[in-house]
Amino acid sequence: MKLFHRSLILLICSIILVGCQIDDVDFDPKVDLAIGIIADCQYCNCETNKTSYYQSSLHKLEEAIEQFNTEPLNYTIHLGDFIDRDFKSFENLLPIWNKVSSNKFHVLGNHDFNVADSLKPMVLDRLNLKSRYYSIIENQWRFIVIDGNDLSFHGAYSQQKKRQTDSLYSEKVKTKEPSKLVGNGGLSHEQLVWLDNELNTATENNEQVGIYCHFPVVGNEYTRILWNSEQILALIDRYPCVKFYFNGHNHNGDYVERNGVHYLTFKGMVETENNSAYASVRIVKNKIYIKGHGGEHSRKLNIKE
């Protein structure tokens, strides 16, 4: 009887993980797209705090880039929190980051704005970004990069956005929801309209869509999701073209499938002393293959029709 119960438990666990986490990934050579993904490098020249080994991120970033440069990538993307708190950290990171041989992009994280107020408007320039949110078009895919710091106490530096931040945060506090964490943020009405237009354009162009953000909108760590995640999810639900939402922020990683969309939180590179975390992604027809390096899991995700 005990053997039967054990077998039943193993069967249930295997069903839950089907199409998600696997031990390794054999990449199909006939790929549509190849992408390198890093989350939460979060470097600074400062002492280790609990499990955040800030100084170790330099050699881990270099190791990841060396690996990526052996792969025929369409692009490499960092999912936010490139630095932890010191604007001068960019000087140490950028010479390494600039070794990336593919096209390269950044998502804005909350720690990227953890600098002096006078330096906040200069963060985009250091990351070679012309806009806080934008799209990458590759091979009938539209990869939409959104900015969860748009309304936040760390990343909103115009008076208008600061007022909108206060208003949105106050509403979340009233509801007593766990997503009221001060370190999170939200999308402004302006950005939500832009996102709606991007998704509509993708639909008209028969493009598939992947969304990148630093912050999750769903997951087991509910205290870390965006303040107006309900609005964002409602928007995603309206567009069948959306296939995944990839993010960082929660260093432990997470995965949720909701209405056929894959919501995947990548593990933080900063989180361990020597064992890194990053991923090589291949999109092949109706599947997304993720080969995890270091502590990151390998997965096979089926793309919904």
Side-chain angles (χ1 to χ4, degrees), residues 257-274:
E257 182 178 354
R258 179 182 179 277
N259 296 337
V261 178
H262 301 287
Y263 294 85
L264 176 57
T265 299
F266 286 84
K267 292 189 175 185
M269 176 176 276
V270 71
E271 199 59 23
T272 55
E273 184 174 13
N274 296 309

Side-chain angles (χ1 to χ4, degrees), residues 1 19 31 34 43 54 65 77 109-110 116 125 131 142 151 153 158 184 209 275 282 295:
M1 198 65 179
V31 300
Y43 165 78
Y54 303 111
I65 290 171
I77 190 163
N110 51 306
D125 182 63
S131 177
R142 182 173 295 258
L151 302 183
F153 294 114
S158 73
N184 291 348
V209 171
N275 189 29
R282 301 291 186 270

